[in-house]
Amino acid sequence: MVNESQTVANIVLEHSETAEVFQRHRIDFCCRGERSVEVAAHERGLEPGDLVGQLRRAIEDRQGAAGASAADRNMKELSTAALVDHIVGKHHAYLRKTLAFLVPLAKKVARVHGDHNPKLVELRDAVDELAETLLPHLDEEEEDLFPALRTTTGVATGDAARRLASMLEEHLAVATLLERIRDASEDFTIPDWACGSYRTLFGELQAVERDTFTHVHLENHVLKPRFEPA
């Protein structure tokens, strides 16, 4: 079972169902996953024991469910080629499709409702910047980094090592943008007067955050460690 001294990243690696708990409390388990549960809890003003209890309940609920989803298979057991294919086919494809839909939707909602809620203008700008940051990042991974890793054995050196370091820096920038989106959306709070477009935008942005955290977590804590010294 989990305890306060374990790192956030390792808990999600072993128990994917805990990701939702961390996300609910705005605890980054991908780019800042090396923090212990205790440290992460204090940073969010939570009692570590309460957070551990929530994590344990999530694990127990999953264990009590009838079977696990095929999507929750242990990613650490996949070959590098299979892991890369999963990341590209599931997470990259999702982001390409969804961001193309969300950028104009965020602009529309800001245009129609920005006078009523000025934060929607901030949200529009953050969504636009997220797309401008993520899409070239996906291209670089698919065209350069992932092909290099497919042919790398052991510790990454040279260009592959530089690209991995750059990947981490870009992930931190994405995490900052997701925080901006959280702040501008006031934790995806939907007012009573919100129209269908407003509600759709907030629901889809929450899904993007959830998927991106999982995606980056796989790259930072499953893929990258394969090419580091033991």
Side-chain angles (χ1 to χ4, degrees):
M1 269 299 183
V2 300
N3 59 62
E4 297 177 10
S5 65
Q6 288 177 277
T7 66
V8 170
N10 282 339
I11 289 173
V12 176
L13 278 175
E14 296 299 324
H15 305 283
S16 62
E17 61 271 24
T18 60
E20 187 275 333
V21 177
F22 289 124
Q23 186 179 9
R24 185 167 67 243
H25 293 296
R26 297 179 68 171
I27 294 173
D28 184 348
F29 60 84
C30 49
C31 295
R32 301 185 64 206
E34 297 310 313
R35 293 168 299 165
S36 69
V37 170
E38 181 178 20
V39 169
H42 285 311
E43 287 179 352
R44 286 299 178 190
L46 304 170
E47 285 295 328
D50 290 343
L51 180 56
V52 167
Q54 293 177 43
L55 295 169
R56 289 178 176 175
R57 284 192 293 275
I59 295 169
E60 290 166 359
D61 288 346
R62 169 58 61 83
Q63 291 174 341
S69 168
D72 289 331
R73 59 188 171 173
N74 193 338
M75 292 295 162
K76 293 187 293 183
E77 296 179 357
L78 293 180
S79 67
T80 294
L83 178 59
V84 165
D85 287 343
H86 172 81
I87 290 170
V88 172
K90 179 176 175 63
H91 299 291
H92 284 203
Y94 166 77
L95 282 173
R96 291 184 189 281
K97 178 180 178 180
T98 306
L99 290 173
F101 167 69
L102 287 179
V103 169
L105 182 61
K107 291 178 180 178
K108 173 185 175 182
V109 172
R111 183 177 67 252
V112 175
H113 298 292
D115 289 341
H116 196 168
N117 180 6
K119 282 185 173 289
L120 293 173
V121 177
E122 301 173 29
L123 182 63
R124 175 202 64 195
D125 293 344
V127 170
D128 196 49
E129 191 172 342
L130 181 68
E132 291 178 352
T133 300
L134 266 176
L135 293 175
H137 173 76
L138 302 182
D139 290 339
E140 194 280 334
E141 286 187 338
E142 293 175 20
E143 296 169 9
D144 299 307
L145 175 61
F146 289 166
L149 295 183
R150 285 178 183 273
T151 59
T152 299
T153 57
V155 177
T157 58
D159 188 56
R162 286 191 294 273
R163 292 189 186 280
L164 280 170
S166 177
M167 178 188 76
L168 291 184
E169 292 177 4
E170 291 168 6
H171 285 171
L172 287 170
V174 169
T176 298
L177 287 168
L178 291 174
E179 276 288 308
R180 281 177 54 192
I181 288 172
R182 269 275 182 175
D183 289 338
S185 68
E186 298 177 294
D187 289 329
F188 306 114
T189 301
I190 301 175
D192 293 339
W193 51 264
C195 67
S197 293
Y198 196 127
R199 294 174 184 275
T200 298
L201 174 65
F202 276 40
E204 290 296 321
L205 284 174
Q206 191 167 14
V208 164
E209 181 193 72
R210 182 168 55 248
D211 187 85
T212 303
F213 277 167
T214 300
H215 162 198
V216 172
H217 174 65
L218 288 176
E219 293 183 351
N220 283 7
H221 301 295
V222 181
L223 182 63
K224 182 176 178 290
R226 298 181 179 193
F227 303 98
E228 297 177 325

